[in-house]
Amino acid sequence: DISGKRVPVLAMTATLRGKHLDEMTSKLGITDDYKLMTGPMNRRSIAIRVSFAAKPNKSMQDALAKQLDGHPRKKRLVYVTAKNAAEGCIRDNAEKAIARTKSNEGDISVITGDSGLMEKIYDVNQFNSEGGSRVIVGTEACNCGVSSVLCNGAERVGMPRNLLDLSQEHGRGNRTNSDSRNENEYHLHLS
């Protein structure tokens, strides 16, 4: 029984608006002392780019360095299917990409299916903060719930497992709500 106790609540929707949002907050028992974040989810201007390379990890590193260079506030997501790749070579290549930028600054968070809830919440909060992580490397475990108005794109090494993952990852690509196809992209790196 959790009655009378404060517990964290995470609810996401792409379609809830107006009176329905008020109804949801009432049913969840969200009071004024809880923070409720809402905003539009504009997805109309996301370019999908596909690069075929002998070394997709290196292709991702080059693209990531180019996207982050000269933009110290910009953030990116990097997806990969395998947990060991997220924690190993993909993370290493993301670190090399940041090292190649002019600012040469920024942390990298890793989110996989083994990440605990509190660890994921901490990593997402760091990603959303001005001085926090610049890159999240993750598996499909970070498809939902990872949003930042500073994130305008995602890199993907290898094909997603299914169309649902592709759709979720693609949707991370325009959190800035910009209409520029030159800025918002989902970039697949394939061999």
Side-chain angles (χ1 to χ4, degrees):
D1 180 27
I2 60 169
S3 62
K5 296 181 179 165
R6 294 177 56 101
V7 295
V9 174
L10 174 64
M12 294 179 54
T13 176
T15 57
L16 207 55
R17 300 282 186 265
K19 70 175 185 165
H20 301 291
L21 186 59
D22 294 336
E23 183 179 324
M24 182 190 79
T25 57
S26 173
K27 285 183 179 180
L28 290 173
I30 296 174
T31 60
D32 291 339
D33 59 341
Y34 275 86
K35 185 173 185 178
L36 180 64
M37 296 174 17
T38 62
M41 296 183 71
N42 175 356
R43 302 287 179 273
R44 68 181 176 276
S45 299
I46 304 171
I48 296 179
R49 178 179 299 187
V50 180
S51 296
F52 291 95
K55 297 180 179 177
N57 295 358
K58 178 72 167 99
S59 171
M60 178 277 297
Q61 181 190 125
D62 294 342
L64 185 60
K66 182 178 177 183
Q67 286 296 324
L68 297 176
D69 197 26
H71 304 282
R73 293 183 62 228
K74 192 182 274 190
K75 308 208 177 205
R76 298 289 272 193
L77 290 157
V78 178
Y79 290 99
V80 65
T81 300
K83 172 188 167 273
N84 61 346
E87 295 173 339
C89 62
I90 302 301
R91 177 185 166 75
D92 293 345
N93 277 285
E95 286 176 348
K96 290 175 186 174
I98 289 176
R100 290 171 44 190
T101 65
K102 290 177 188 140
S103 68
N104 192 18
E105 294 178 12
D107 291 334
I108 297 172
S109 296
V110 176
I111 297 176
T112 69
D114 290 345
S115 300
L117 177 62
M118 296 312 288
E119 179 183 0
K120 183 176 179 181
I121 290 170
Y122 176 81
D123 288 339
V124 170
N125 284 338
Q126 286 296 305
F127 190 64
N128 286 333
S129 68
E130 283 286 333
S133 302
R134 290 193 70 196
V135 175
I136 289 181
V137 175
T139 62
E140 59 273 358
C142 68
N143 280 352
C144 296
V146 178
S147 298
S148 174
V149 295
L150 300 173
C151 181
N152 71 330
E155 309 291 329
R156 167 47 114 149
V157 179
M159 282 298 290
R161 290 179 202 241
N162 54 53
L163 287 175
L164 178 61
D165 287 344
L166 178 99
S167 174
Q168 285 293 325
E169 293 169 12
H170 175 265
R172 308 297 108 190
N174 188 3
R175 297 302 173 166
T176 60
N177 286 325
S178 167
D179 286 332
S180 172
R181 283 194 182 267
N182 295 327
E183 290 184 17
N184 306 312
E185 71 177 13
Y186 176 72
H187 193 161
L188 284 159
H189 302 272
L190 307 173
S191 58

